[in-house]
Amino acid sequence: MPTPSRLRVAAVTATCALLSCLVAGCGDEARGEGLSAQKLTWKDCPAPSQAEGGGSAPTPLPHGGTWQCATMKAPLDWADPRGDTVGIALIRVRTDGDRSRRIGSLIFNFGGPGGSGVSTLPAFGDQYAALRARYDLVSFDPRGVGRSAGVRCENDQQLDAYFQQDSTPDDAAERTALVDHTKKFNAACEKNSGKTLPHVRTTDAARDMDLMREVLGDDRLYYFGISYGTELGGVYAHLFPKHVGRAVFDGVVDPTQTSEQGSLGQARGFQLALDNFAEDCTSKAQDCPVGNTAQDVEDRITELLRALDRKPIPGILPRMLTQSAATNGIAQALYAKEFWPYLTDGLEQAYAGDGQTLMLLSDLMNGRNENGEYSNLTAANVSINCADDKPRYSTSYVQQMLPRFRAASRVFGDFLAWGMVSCTDWAVPGAADHPDVSAQGSAPILVVGNTGDPATPYEGARKMVDALGRGVGVELTYKGQGHGAYDSKNKCVQGAVNGYLLNGTVPATGTVCS
């Protein structure tokens, strides 16, 4: 799923204190005092909260299946399991198959970090209907997200200003303004959610999932992780390799990269997706309204962004479409091939002085609804990324790195490079450079990479397979476009994934779907 303030997903790892806790078995001691024995009270789901994105209560699936919600208690601090607890919001729909063939609960994480699983699973539940034959479908708001002690930073009006800022500074005054905006945002997070911020690392969420597995009554974890959810799944497999049942990673994060390397890789990934969009538009029989050749399309986009840097155009009034908002909107449209027509329309309109469509796309990336209300996607995204990522980058360092980012993408390079300063003044130290996902002894994990993926470039799938260890990761390649593969509805991909999750059939490693 899109990440808002920067287009990357977090690198994660365990802290030394948590690893010591694991060796000592303190988590099991806490569960012995009642957390693993807790009984969930499932009720009809309310409408999503503003933090979860708002909207209406989830409606039953087309072929039956009512959504139920519950709250699970977990330790706020897994290193102090007898201390305060945090409520983890859950959602499920029961299996529609023969109960005697039910395998268990299939837990989804759709990425971000910061995305609400409670609001996302019902929105896309019909896409996973085949898996209900043998599973209850379950998702959750990870800690710090939505209803699970959602992190609060700035209010809606302040966030409007935050996203209107120039995020690709050209001089000292603009650099100072960017740093000041970032410090203000980070200080608001500490003021409003300081108690929660140290406890939203991906290792915390992974331990929550293992408790969830127990509370749901499963001996093994059955899991479907997408985007950042692949990092979360990898960290879980590292911490609990013997608890892994059947797991699928789709839209795979490279677990070997630092946050800088991840941002640079994403610059290349979004540039590749933009190249593919431009080639597609100009190769059709009808004229491409945003350029005569692929190079012309990209030249015109580059000039548009330069012009917006000098003078924004009307967007969704009273807000103006800035260079940053336009870049954000273009990136959002590259997450799925189905969005490419909106990108064409948005660019054509912007060239005529109308920035509404690109701003709508940017709002989608940032978690803003049409009423001007923001979910806590941005707050949670920054909080989890900054708690996970150890590196802290100065403006002078970013300036040194700009040539490399610009070589990777003249459209997205500056935007992603300057995003690296978002954690510089964060109140909580980052855990490590990158996660440890080695999972010797785990059951096979199906790792699905998409060759045209902009947000999690294809190379990350192979890196994840190697990092999981021999005999664990099984790579499947999808030659397609967009972020992730299963939701492309490609029959080969869905057949392989469904075959593994439902029947335990492991596809041959190196299988290619196109």
Side-chain angles (χ1 to χ4, degrees), residues 147-176:
R147 281 199 174 98
S148 299
V151 173
R152 295 184 301 111
C153 297
E154 294 186 323
N155 62 32
D156 294 335
Q157 292 72 33
Q158 290 169 324
L159 284 171
D160 272 347
Y162 179 75
F163 288 118
Q164 288 292 102
Q165 70 178 314
D166 187 343
S167 59
T168 55
D170 301 310
D171 55 37
E174 290 183 353
R175 288 192 293 273
T176 298

Short mmCIF file of all heavy atoms in Angstrom, two decimals, residues 147-176:
data_model
loop_
_atom_site.label_atom_id
_atom_site.label_comp_id
_atom_site.label_asym_id
_atom_site.label_seq_id
_atom_site.Cartn_x
_atom_site.Cartn_y
_atom_site.Cartn_z
N ARG A 147 -7.34 2.10 15.13
CA ARG A 147 -7.91 1.94 16.46
C ARG A 147 -6.96 1.27 17.45
O ARG A 147 -7.28 1.12 18.63
CB ARG A 147 -9.20 1.11 16.38
CG ARG A 147 -10.42 1.89 15.92
CD ARG A 147 -11.71 1.16 16.33
NE ARG A 147 -12.89 1.96 16.03
CZ ARG A 147 -13.64 1.82 14.94
NH1 ARG A 147 -13.31 0.91 14.04
NH2 ARG A 147 -14.70 2.57 14.75
N SER A 148 -5.79 0.85 16.99
CA SER A 148 -4.82 0.19 17.88
C SER A 148 -3.84 1.22 18.44
O SER A 148 -2.68 1.30 18.03
CB SER A 148 -4.08 -0.92 17.13
OG SER A 148 -4.98 -1.90 16.68
N ALA A 149 -4.35 2.05 19.37
CA ALA A 149 -3.54 3.12 19.94
C ALA A 149 -2.90 3.95 18.83
O ALA A 149 -1.69 4.20 18.84
CB ALA A 149 -2.47 2.56 20.89
N GLY A 150 -3.73 4.36 17.88
CA GLY A 150 -3.23 5.10 16.73
C GLY A 150 -2.43 6.34 17.11
O GLY A 150 -2.87 7.15 17.92
N VAL A 151 -1.26 6.48 16.52
CA VAL A 151 -0.41 7.64 16.79
C VAL A 151 -1.09 8.90 16.27
O VAL A 151 -1.65 8.91 15.17
CB VAL A 151 0.97 7.46 16.11
CG1 VAL A 151 1.80 8.72 16.24
CG2 VAL A 151 1.70 6.27 16.71
N ARG A 152 -1.05 9.94 17.06
CA ARG A 152 -1.59 11.24 16.66
C ARG A 152 -0.45 12.24 16.59
O ARG A 152 0.38 12.31 17.48
CB ARG A 152 -2.65 11.74 17.64
CG ARG A 152 -3.91 10.88 17.68
CD ARG A 152 -4.97 11.49 18.60
NE ARG A 152 -4.49 11.65 19.96
CZ ARG A 152 -4.24 12.81 20.55
NH1 ARG A 152 -4.41 13.95 19.89
NH2 ARG A 152 -3.81 12.86 21.79
N CYS A 153 -0.41 13.01 15.52
CA CYS A 153 0.62 14.05 15.36
C CYS A 153 -0.08 15.39 15.13
O CYS A 153 -0.65 15.95 16.06
CB CYS A 153 1.57 13.69 14.23
SG CYS A 153 2.52 12.17 14.53
N GLU A 154 -0.12 15.87 13.90
CA GLU A 154 -0.75 17.15 13.61
C GLU A 154 -2.22 16.96 13.25
O GLU A 154 -2.65 15.87 12.84
CB GLU A 154 -0.01 17.84 12.48
CG GLU A 154 1.42 18.24 12.86
CD GLU A 154 2.11 19.06 11.78
OE1 GLU A 154 1.90 18.78 10.59
OE2 GLU A 154 2.87 19.98 12.15
N ASN A 155 -3.01 18.06 13.38
CA ASN A 155 -4.42 17.99 13.02
C ASN A 155 -4.59 18.18 11.51
O ASN A 155 -3.62 18.38 10.78
CB ASN A 155 -5.24 19.01 13.82
CG ASN A 155 -4.83 20.46 13.54
OD1 ASN A 155 -4.41 20.80 12.44
ND2 ASN A 155 -4.96 21.31 14.55
N ASP A 156 -5.84 18.12 11.05
CA ASP A 156 -6.09 18.14 9.61
C ASP A 156 -5.58 19.41 8.95
O ASP A 156 -4.98 19.38 7.87
CB ASP A 156 -7.60 17.99 9.34
CG ASP A 156 -8.13 16.63 9.75
OD1 ASP A 156 -7.33 15.67 9.78
OD2 ASP A 156 -9.33 16.53 10.05
N GLN A 157 -5.81 20.56 9.59
CA GLN A 157 -5.37 21.83 9.01
C GLN A 157 -3.84 21.89 8.95
O GLN A 157 -3.26 22.35 7.95
CB GLN A 157 -5.91 23.01 9.82
CG GLN A 157 -7.42 23.18 9.74
CD GLN A 157 -8.20 22.11 10.50
OE1 GLN A 157 -7.73 21.62 11.53
NE2 GLN A 157 -9.38 21.76 10.00
N GLN A 158 -3.20 21.42 10.00
CA GLN A 158 -1.74 21.41 10.01
C GLN A 158 -1.18 20.45 8.96
O GLN A 158 -0.17 20.73 8.32
CB GLN A 158 -1.24 21.02 11.40
CG GLN A 158 -1.50 22.08 12.46
CD GLN A 158 -1.24 21.57 13.87
OE1 GLN A 158 -1.51 20.40 14.19
NE2 GLN A 158 -0.74 22.43 14.73
N LEU A 159 -1.87 19.32 8.75
CA LEU A 159 -1.42 18.37 7.74
C LEU A 159 -1.59 18.94 6.33
O LEU A 159 -0.75 18.69 5.45
CB LEU A 159 -2.18 17.05 7.87
CG LEU A 159 -1.74 16.16 9.03
CD1 LEU A 159 -2.70 14.99 9.20
CD2 LEU A 159 -0.31 15.65 8.82
N ASP A 160 -2.64 19.70 6.10
CA ASP A 160 -2.77 20.37 4.81
C ASP A 160 -1.53 21.23 4.54
O ASP A 160 -0.97 21.21 3.43
CB ASP A 160 -4.03 21.24 4.77
CG ASP A 160 -5.26 20.47 4.32
OD1 ASP A 160 -5.11 19.35 3.79
OD2 ASP A 160 -6.37 21.00 4.49
N ALA A 161 -1.11 21.99 5.55
CA ALA A 161 0.08 22.84 5.40
C ALA A 161 1.34 21.99 5.23
O ALA A 161 2.23 22.31 4.43
CB ALA A 161 0.21 23.77 6.60
N TYR A 162 1.41 20.88 5.97
CA TYR A 162 2.57 19.99 5.90
C TYR A 162 2.77 19.45 4.49
O TYR A 162 3.89 19.40 3.97
CB TYR A 162 2.35 18.86 6.90
CG TYR A 162 3.44 17.81 6.97
CD1 TYR A 162 4.66 18.07 7.59
CD2 TYR A 162 3.23 16.53 6.45
CE1 TYR A 162 5.65 17.10 7.68
CE2 TYR A 162 4.22 15.55 6.52
CZ TYR A 162 5.42 15.85 7.14
OH TYR A 162 6.40 14.87 7.22
N PHE A 163 1.67 19.06 3.86
CA PHE A 163 1.78 18.49 2.51
C PHE A 163 1.86 19.55 1.42
O PHE A 163 2.14 19.22 0.27
CB PHE A 163 0.61 17.54 2.25
CG PHE A 163 0.70 16.25 3.01
CD1 PHE A 163 -0.28 15.91 3.94
CD2 PHE A 163 1.77 15.40 2.84
CE1 PHE A 163 -0.19 14.73 4.66
CE2 PHE A 163 1.88 14.22 3.55
CZ PHE A 163 0.89 13.88 4.46
N GLN A 164 1.63 20.81 1.77
CA GLN A 164 1.79 21.90 0.80
C GLN A 164 3.23 22.41 0.76
O GLN A 164 3.59 23.17 -0.13
CB GLN A 164 0.85 23.06 1.14
CG GLN A 164 -0.62 22.81 0.87
CD GLN A 164 -0.94 22.68 -0.61
OE1 GLN A 164 -1.13 21.59 -1.13
NE2 GLN A 164 -1.01 23.79 -1.31
N GLN A 165 4.05 21.99 1.72
CA GLN A 165 5.42 22.49 1.79
C GLN A 165 6.22 22.05 0.57
O GLN A 165 5.88 21.08 -0.11
CB GLN A 165 6.10 21.98 3.05
CG GLN A 165 6.38 20.49 3.02
CD GLN A 165 7.10 19.99 4.26
OE1 GLN A 165 8.06 20.61 4.70
NE2 GLN A 165 6.64 18.89 4.84
N ASP A 166 7.28 22.77 0.30
CA ASP A 166 8.21 22.41 -0.77
C ASP A 166 9.13 21.33 -0.25
O ASP A 166 10.01 21.59 0.57
CB ASP A 166 9.00 23.64 -1.21
CG ASP A 166 9.86 23.38 -2.45
OD1 ASP A 166 10.09 22.20 -2.77
OD2 ASP A 166 10.29 24.35 -3.10
N SER A 167 8.94 20.10 -0.71
CA SER A 167 9.72 18.98 -0.19
C SER A 167 10.95 18.68 -1.04
O SER A 167 11.64 17.69 -0.81
CB SER A 167 8.85 17.73 -0.10
OG SER A 167 8.32 17.40 -1.36
N THR A 168 11.25 19.56 -2.02
CA THR A 168 12.48 19.42 -2.81
C THR A 168 13.18 20.78 -2.85
O THR A 168 13.17 21.48 -3.87
CB THR A 168 12.18 18.94 -4.24
OG1 THR A 168 11.23 19.83 -4.86
CG2 THR A 168 11.59 17.54 -4.22
N PRO A 169 13.78 21.18 -1.73
CA PRO A 169 14.34 22.54 -1.62
C PRO A 169 15.47 22.79 -2.59
O PRO A 169 16.29 21.91 -2.88
CB PRO A 169 14.82 22.59 -0.17
CG PRO A 169 15.06 21.17 0.22
CD PRO A 169 14.02 20.39 -0.52
N ASP A 170 15.50 24.04 -3.07
CA ASP A 170 16.52 24.45 -4.05
C ASP A 170 17.58 25.38 -3.48
O ASP A 170 18.60 25.62 -4.13
CB ASP A 170 15.84 25.16 -5.24
CG ASP A 170 14.83 24.26 -5.94
OD1 ASP A 170 15.19 23.11 -6.25
OD2 ASP A 170 13.69 24.70 -6.15
N ASP A 171 17.33 25.94 -2.29
CA ASP A 171 18.29 26.87 -1.71
C ASP A 171 18.24 26.76 -0.19
O ASP A 171 17.44 25.98 0.37
CB ASP A 171 18.01 28.32 -2.15
CG ASP A 171 16.59 28.77 -1.86
OD1 ASP A 171 16.04 28.39 -0.80
OD2 ASP A 171 16.01 29.50 -2.69
N ALA A 172 19.10 27.55 0.47
CA ALA A 172 19.23 27.45 1.92
C ALA A 172 17.92 27.78 2.64
O ALA A 172 17.56 27.11 3.62
CB ALA A 172 20.34 28.38 2.40
N ALA A 173 17.20 28.78 2.17
CA ALA A 173 15.94 29.16 2.82
C ALA A 173 14.92 28.05 2.72
O ALA A 173 14.21 27.73 3.69
CB ALA A 173 15.40 30.45 2.18
N GLU A 174 14.82 27.40 1.56
CA GLU A 174 13.87 26.30 1.39
C GLU A 174 14.30 25.08 2.20
O GLU A 174 13.44 24.35 2.73
CB GLU A 174 13.73 25.95 -0.09
CG GLU A 174 13.02 27.04 -0.90
CD GLU A 174 12.82 26.65 -2.36
OE1 GLU A 174 13.35 25.60 -2.77
OE2 GLU A 174 12.14 27.39 -3.09
N ARG A 175 15.60 24.85 2.32
CA ARG A 175 16.06 23.73 3.15
C ARG A 175 15.70 23.97 4.61
O ARG A 175 15.25 23.05 5.31
CB ARG A 175 17.57 23.54 2.99
CG ARG A 175 17.98 22.95 1.65
CD ARG A 175 19.43 22.51 1.64
NE ARG A 175 20.36 23.62 1.74
CZ ARG A 175 20.82 24.30 0.70
NH1 ARG A 175 20.41 24.00 -0.53
NH2 ARG A 175 21.69 25.29 0.87
N THR A 176 15.88 25.20 5.07
CA THR A 176 15.53 25.53 6.46
C THR A 176 14.04 25.35 6.69
O THR A 176 13.62 24.82 7.73
CB THR A 176 15.93 26.98 6.77
OG1 THR A 176 17.36 27.11 6.64
CG2 THR A 176 15.53 27.37 8.19
#
